[in-house]
């Protein structure tokens, strides 16, 4: 499973941070093997792509990073295209607002995959009520917290939540982490400058606009 995840980064030719904090260490596979997967893998950045290939690659990259399936991704795009503003930027903002991403950004989980598992298994509250849908979109002033039963699980809190919260990883400016309470607040909706992922979202818009 781990090698499969790492091969996606190698295929993209860059880190997608699918394994969370491990991707920031020398153990990261792409640090050791910056080639595409396969017996005759080419060095990242040397493979020539058509314009369609570039557009498809950007879409796949974003889908992988946020853990979204094609049908979900298309729904996000359609909703983004109906709103005011730049469609690509709106799309990224909506993906950032997914609850699984917010739990990850608030350093409550080591990766988006783990954040999704926590949500599905009933470990996360939004405004004091349990939410089990990873795709739930947060809004301004929402409070994201761990459920009482999760807070009582000292082993999980110490080995997962507190361990990550104590890492020197910056929480985005649109979020506020209240470390002592192990809680987060949505200060405002994310804008493009808040999202540091390596993606050219205009290529995704071009792909879906054909």
């Amino acid at each position: 499973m781990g090698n499969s995840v790492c091969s996606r980064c190698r295929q993209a030719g860059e880190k997608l941070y699918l394994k969370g904090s491990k991707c920031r260490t020398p153990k990261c596979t792409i640090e050791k093997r910056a080639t595409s997967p396969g017996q005759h893998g080419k060095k990242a950045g040397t493979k020539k792509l058509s314009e369609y290939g570039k557009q498809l690659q950007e879409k796949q990259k974003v889908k992988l990073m946020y853990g979204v399936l094609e049908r979900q991704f298309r729904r996000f795009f359609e909703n983004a295209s109906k709103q005011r503003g730049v469609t690509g930027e709106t799309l990224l903002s909506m993906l950032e607002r997914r609850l699984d991403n917010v739990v990850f950004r608030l350093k409550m989980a080591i990766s988006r995959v783990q954040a999704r598992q926590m949500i599905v298994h009933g470990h996360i509250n939004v405004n004091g009520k349990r939410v089990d849908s990873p795709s739930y979109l947060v809004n301004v002033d929402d409070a994201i917290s761990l459920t009482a039963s999760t807070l009582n699980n000292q082993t999980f809190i110490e080995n997962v939540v507190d361990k990550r919260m104590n890492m020197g990883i910056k929480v985005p400016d649109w979020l506020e982490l209240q470390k002592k309470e192990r809680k987060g607040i949505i200060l405002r909706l994310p804008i493009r400058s808040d999202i540091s992922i390596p993606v050219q979202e205009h290529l995704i818009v071009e792909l879906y606009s054909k």
Side-chain angles (χ1 to χ4, degrees), residues 109-124:
I110 61 174
S111 66
R112 292 184 182 88
V113 172
Q114 187 181 66
R116 280 193 288 279
Q117 292 173 341
M118 289 173 65
I119 295 165
V120 170
H121 292 149
H123 295 297
I124 300 296

Side-chain angles (χ1 to χ4, degrees), residues 30 32 71 94:
I30 203 169
K32 297 181 286 187
R71 183 178 294 180
M94 292 177 68

Side-chain angles (χ1 to χ4, degrees), residues 17 19-22 24 101-112 114-115 118 156-172 177 179:
Y17 298 95
K19 298 178 79 173
S21 55
K22 184 181 178 182
R24 302 176 188 274
N101 179 73
V102 173
V103 170
F104 168 65
R105 295 291 194 199
L106 286 170
K107 304 200 293 186
M108 293 179 178
I110 61 174
S111 66
R112 292 184 182 88
Q114 187 181 66
M118 289 173 65
F156 180 78
I157 293 297
E158 291 175 6
N159 294 335
V160 178
V161 180
D162 287 352
K163 188 175 180 180
R164 175 159 170 79
M165 283 192 176
N166 289 325
M167 289 181 178
I169 300 172
K170 187 178 183 296
V171 172
L177 173 62
K179 190 182 292 186

